Amino acid sequence: MSRYYTFNAADAVEYARQFGGVDDPLSLITADEIGDGNLNLVFKIRDTQGISRVIVKQALPYVRCVGESWPLTIDRSRIEAETLIVHYEHCPQHTARVIHHDPELAVMVQEDLSDYEIWRGELVKGKYYPQAASQLGEYLAQSLFHTSDLYQNAEHKKSEVGRFLNPELCLITEDLFFTDPYIEHERNCYDAALQPTVDELRADISLRIAVGDLKQRFLSNAEALLHGDVHSGSIFVAEGRLKVIDAEFGFYGPIGFDPGSAMGNLLLNYCGLPGLVATREAADGREQRLQDLRDLWLSFSERFLQLARDKTQDLAFKIPGYAEHYLKHIWHDAVGYCGSELIRRTIGFSNVADLKNIADQEMRHECQRHALSLGQWLIITAPQIDDIEGLIARIRQNG
Ligand code: SR1
Ligand code: MG
């Protein structure tokens, strides 16, 4: 029989005392439930001074933001902890540290990140963290290279693919990214004023074929252990520091999906800024987002190539030029996945504050139409966009 039960605040404190790895466990006395994401319970555990010391996170057997009518496996807690542990091994400076986890209780204890802010909140306020994008690129390069065929032994990788099978969470992505936005579906969420734009999008056959390709590669290309949900709400930032959390969507998938999702979130902010902050600030913020895009891709791709030069042993993959050739595929995938993130976050189930917080209705619709047309253009033209400068030039032309 399973030991699973849903934690209350007292359970979370008791658990943190036992497994939080603190020197003074009895000083832990309160738990604030702070989970504002879509899926889980999250408790901040404080000591007698009111200082936050560790995080206790528990998966519920359903999608929290919907309720028990949408059941969801609690195995996602194991996947999340194990993905973070693997990524931490390769990039401790930018991965949240898992202190303890228990798959049966679907609980993990994670380092406290109270001195960081959630990146999305900062982006929505127009605050710039000049090192964040390069640091995210470093995390992506280290985590994805070291779990790819360019580094891992083929036999070990196959067993890792098995360990990280994550069918229920992958199905959410398969539906929410690649299917729902392009059909009528009750999970979609957008204002009626956008319907003509949405209709045009759905009638665009070349777009639908390209989205089919992206979905097919997401389903079939087990290239590396992805985080699987790299959006700006899964990233904590502080001056000169960055940590990635929330890896329950982790699985072996196409490498371009992670940098592409990250790029999509930068561009969602780019599209929303004119509705979020004053005109001058929005213009500066947009330049900063384009710089973020450049920093993210360059730091990811340069580190990925350097790791390939230094560490790839497989004779077929060591051939001069192979890593660069492979990176081209990753780039084209990333541009396509970036476009699909723009579209699904604008009209699908999971809207983002970068657009939905725009109070003025006309302005919000204008920014949303921009996100949709940019997403559509990126998905269709991904194979023709050669590099990051070409991408940035075209984004500027798009307005
Ligand atoms: C039902 S989960 C909805 C979304 O939230 C997560 O963070 C993922 O982005 C997912 O698509
Ligand atoms: Mg999440």
Side-chain angles (χ1 to χ4, degrees), residues 4 86 105 118 174 177 208 210 220-221 253 257 274 309 350 371:
Y4 183 84
V86 171
L105 290 174
I118 295 175
E174 289 146 22
F177 266 76
R208 304 288 295 274
S220 300
N221 286 13
F257 185 76
R309 270 193 307 275
S350 303

Side-chain angles (χ1 to χ4, degrees), residues 38-40 57 229 231 234 246 248-249:
N38 290 326
L39 300 177
N40 307 300
K57 180 170 179 180
D229 194 22
H231 62 85
S234 300
D246 260 10
E248 68 247 64
F249 285 79

